[in-house]
Amino acid sequence: MSAPDGDPGGPVLVLGGTAEGREVAAELNVLGMRVVSSLAGRVSKPRLPVGEVRVGGFGGVDGLAEWLREQRAAAVVDATHPFAERISASAVTAAEQAGVPHLRLERPGWQAGPGDEWHWADSLTHAAELIARLGRRVFLTTGRQGLAAFARLDKQWFLIRCVDMPEPPMPLESLVVLDRGPYTVDKELTLMRRHRIDLLVTKDSGGTMTTAKLTAARRLGRPVVVVRRPPHPAADRVVETPAAAVRWVLEATGR
Ligand code: NAP
């Protein structure tokens, strides 16, 4: 649907699915700006941002560029998860094609501190190789997608935590718990003790919503396999906080 005639400018598109995306949408809403938040539609009951929401893929670069043109979008804020590679790549190219200002909002990654034993993996496949030599009872928190990488590990038992039920292939010897952050250190300690976890596996998601497991692993003296972020397409402008993203939107849209 096109923006109505006479509309001074279309919405700010926030590519979301993250707490940061919701924060940006909420703040711009308070400032009286029209925002459309976009979600992939992977999660059955997503946390919804305030304001308008659309759900589902755009149909690649061309579809997204067309959406931006049709809506006369004023700006694009890509606040998707650090591991959402394809949509971020689409956003860079589509925004350029449509001539719409683009910003990448990416929270900083995690860093090991004193007392941590972290092993960095370059991919989920690499993480599976590290698991094979580092642990027997594994707390796997890399999400529902990509569990196939661990399906062949038959000497380990897995506690798999994700938001929605995963589908095979995935490790046979496993227990799935459905939950979503934020988590507390006490609860993570209880969970890891109850299941006698000896290895934690996580993506380098960053942010504060899911750091409790890292603290719990440190307190219990357990090693952690951390999957490195994929390289992101070169966005011209990258910021680390929702506040900086909001400032950029105001500048980019002349508000
Ligand atoms: P992805 O591999 O980059 O995206 C795959 C396809 O899904 C994209 O090409 C796009 O389809 C569609 N898509 C993804 N995010 C979208 C969005 N916000 N709005 C509209 N379409 C979207 O991404 P993913 O890893 O599947 O992640 C999907 C969503 O979940 C992201 O929004 C991300 O913020 C969130 N998330 C991901 C992770 C993770 O670990 N990957 C963790 C937490 C949250 P078209 O090409 O058809 O446009």
Side-chain angles (χ1 to χ4, degrees):
M1 201 177 69
S2 301
D5 284 347
D7 192 314
V12 174
L13 175 64
V14 177
L15 297 168
T18 56
E20 289 78 7
R22 290 190 292 276
E23 257 186 73
V24 171
E27 191 59 33
L28 292 177
N29 196 58
V30 165
L31 295 170
M33 296 193 73
R34 188 176 157 222
V35 179
V36 175
S37 293
S38 178
L39 307 178
R42 302 257 186 283
V43 179
S44 57
K45 287 185 192 145
R47 289 198 174 107
L48 290 176
V50 295
E52 293 170 55
V53 177
R54 66 165 298 289
V55 180
F58 293 90
V61 173
D62 292 347
L64 179 51
E66 195 183 318
W67 190 96
L68 294 171
R69 281 193 210 98
E70 276 187 3
Q71 295 286 327
R72 296 192 213 158
V76 180
V77 177
D78 171 15
T80 56
H81 191 270
F83 283 79
E85 287 179 80
R86 278 182 292 165
I87 187 68
S88 291
S90 275
V92 170
T93 314
E96 197 181 321
Q97 281 181 10
V100 175
H102 166 279
L103 177 81
R104 167 77 184 150
L105 163 56
E106 185 162 310
R107 57 198 180 213
W110 289 321
Q111 302 208 332
D116 284 327
E117 183 195 329
W118 287 13
H119 302 260
W120 288 91
D122 294 328
S123 62
L124 293 178
T125 310
H126 186 200
E129 288 165 24
L130 293 175
I131 291 170
R133 60 182 176 81
L134 288 171
R136 285 277 177 170
R137 296 184 64 84
V138 182
F139 187 14
L140 189 55
T141 64
T142 49
R144 188 162 59 105
Q145 300 179 69
L147 288 177
F150 308 103
R152 288 205 188 144
L153 292 170
D154 55 7
K155 296 192 174 50
Q156 279 76 16
W157 178 87
F158 289 86
L159 178 65
I160 298 173
R161 182 167 67 195
C162 32
V163 177
D164 282 316
M165 200 62 194
E167 282 169 15
M170 56 192 262
L172 272 184
E173 293 298 321
S174 58
L175 173 70
V176 175
V177 285
L178 300 183
D179 206 351
R180 59 166 49 155
Y183 303 102
T184 65
V185 174
D186 279 351
K187 283 201 172 154
E188 298 292 51
L189 283 168
T190 303
L191 191 67
M192 289 172 72
R193 283 194 182 113
R194 183 187 306 143
H195 294 288
R196 292 177 285 115
I197 295 299
D198 60 15
L199 177 67
L200 168 67
V201 184
T202 179
K203 288 175 173 172
D204 178 17
S205 297
T208 54
M209 298 248 292
T210 57
T211 46
K213 62 189 172 188
L214 300 170
T215 309
R218 183 186 314 134
R219 291 215 191 141
L220 294 171
R222 299 289 182 253
V224 184
V225 171
V226 186
V227 182
R228 229 181 273 288
R229 293 178 175 191
H232 258 288
D236 283 348
R237 284 160 297 268
V238 183
V239 296
E240 293 185 345
T241 63
V246 169
R247 280 197 298 276
W248 174 83
V249 169
L250 295 179
E251 272 173 37
T253 58
R255 290 280 301 252

